Amino acid sequence: TQLLEQSPQFLSIQEGENLTVYCNSSSVFSSLQWYRQEPGEGPVLLVTVVTGGEVKKLKRLTFQFGDARKDSSLHITAAQPGDTGLYLCAGWGYGQNFVFGPGTRLSVLP
Amino acid sequence: EAGVAQSPRYKIIEKRQSVAFWCNPISGHATLYWYQQILGQGPKLLIQFQNNGVVDDSQLPKDRFSAERLKGVDSTLKIQPAKLEDSAVYLCASSLVEARGGEQYFGPGTRLTVT
């Protein structure tokens, strides 16, 4: 059973555009993390969100944790080719193992 | 600070053969994780060690997979015998503490192809 779902699965945009990717679950998570993974490398942690409704910003990236702690979003402003990669959400559900979503594969074209 | 090291980076074997992967975590990191990432999917946790003890191996296919972390530092993951569906990238990660919300540092992975 996939505890975390991500959408869209693939996204191809032009440099300078804005985008939002989503991470959803039917379960409550004590915390959620977002990672970015580039080809041939392991995932790299971008942010951890813990509190329902929390918003964190990392330069052009804005992360939000849903009020009910069942969903999260990642918004990128003015995307750049360097943002290309696989974006994964992951977290611990209550009483659950640490689980990753299937990821959103982002391609930013120059 | 050196990152998580894994070897080999690539391995091709035939089904029913055996294979082993090695991981050297970041120095001082007590917690070590092995993940399986099948093409097009997110990583799946196989086993988690705290020092040299197993914390969680509920998703490890124990009939063919085994892992050990002798002396609480390096770790090996073995598959014996391999099946076609074991083709995947095997990622090792380590963290300073075993705490929810803690940061895991990942190695580059070993890409296994079973033919």
Side-chain angles (χ1 to χ4, degrees):
Chain A
T1 302
Q2 187 73 47
L3 293 181
L4 284 171
E5 297 179 344
Q6 292 189 243
S7 61
Q9 186 176 1
F10 300 97
L11 187 57
S12 182
I13 61 171
Q14 293 293 132
E15 181 176 2
E17 293 184 358
N18 301 332
L19 67 112
T20 302
V21 298
Y22 300 92
C23 174
N24 296 285
S25 176
S26 58
S27 303
V28 175
F29 279 76
S30 57
S31 64
L32 274 179
Q33 297 181 324
W34 284 92
Y35 291 80
R36 184 172 73 204
Q37 184 177 23
E38 299 188 22
E41 299 181 11
V44 176
L45 180 66
L46 297 174
V47 77
T48 301
V49 286
V50 179
T51 306
E54 181 177 7
V55 177
K56 283 191 173 179
K57 293 189 176 184
L58 182 65
K59 297 183 180 178
R60 295 176 293 100
L61 278 60
T62 302
F63 305 86
Q64 185 161 7
F65 200 11
D67 291 340
R69 303 211 302 275
K70 291 184 176 182
D71 57 89
S72 181
S73 63
L74 159 59
H75 181 80
I76 301 179
T77 303
Q80 300 178 359
D83 296 326
T84 293
L86 178 67
Y87 288 81
L88 296 157
C89 65
W92 292 263
Y94 288 99
Q96 300 286 343
N97 301 322
F98 185 69
V99 61
F100 277 88
T104 291
R105 190 165 298 278
L106 172 66
S107 177
V108 182
L109 306 174
Chain B
E1 179 181 79
V4 176
Q6 290 189 249
S7 67
R9 290 296 311 274
Y10 305 92
K11 189 73 176 179
I12 301 174
I13 62 172
E14 295 182 351
K15 59 183 179 183
R16 291 188 290 274
Q17 286 187 325
S18 302
V19 64
F21 313 126
W22 174 81
C23 172
N24 185 15
I26 293 173
S27 177
H29 280 197
T31 308
L32 185 146
Y33 312 79
W34 282 102
Y35 291 86
Q36 179 192 58
Q37 186 173 24
I38 294 173
L39 186 65
Q41 300 181 18
K44 182 180 83 172
L45 179 65
L46 294 176
I47 189 167
Q48 176 185 343
F49 290 96
Q50 178 73 12
N51 295 310
N52 61 349
V54 175
V55 174
D56 181 3
D57 63 357
S58 58
Q59 299 191 95
L60 186 73
K62 299 181 185 63
D63 57 334
R64 298 185 300 107
F65 286 64
S66 65
E68 60 182 10
R69 190 184 185 197
L70 300 177
K71 301 180 181 179
V73 182
D74 294 5
S75 178
T76 56
L77 176 69
K78 296 179 181 178
I79 308 175
Q80 180 180 7
K83 293 184 176 181
L84 295 177
E85 58 261 37
D86 298 332
S87 293
V89 174
Y90 290 85
L91 295 163
C92 178
S94 69
S95 63
L96 189 58
V97 294
E98 192 229 349
R100 295 192 163 205
E103 180 169 5
Q104 297 180 41
Y105 295 83
F106 284 81
T110 296
R111 182 176 297 277
L112 173 67
T113 302
V114 182
T115 62

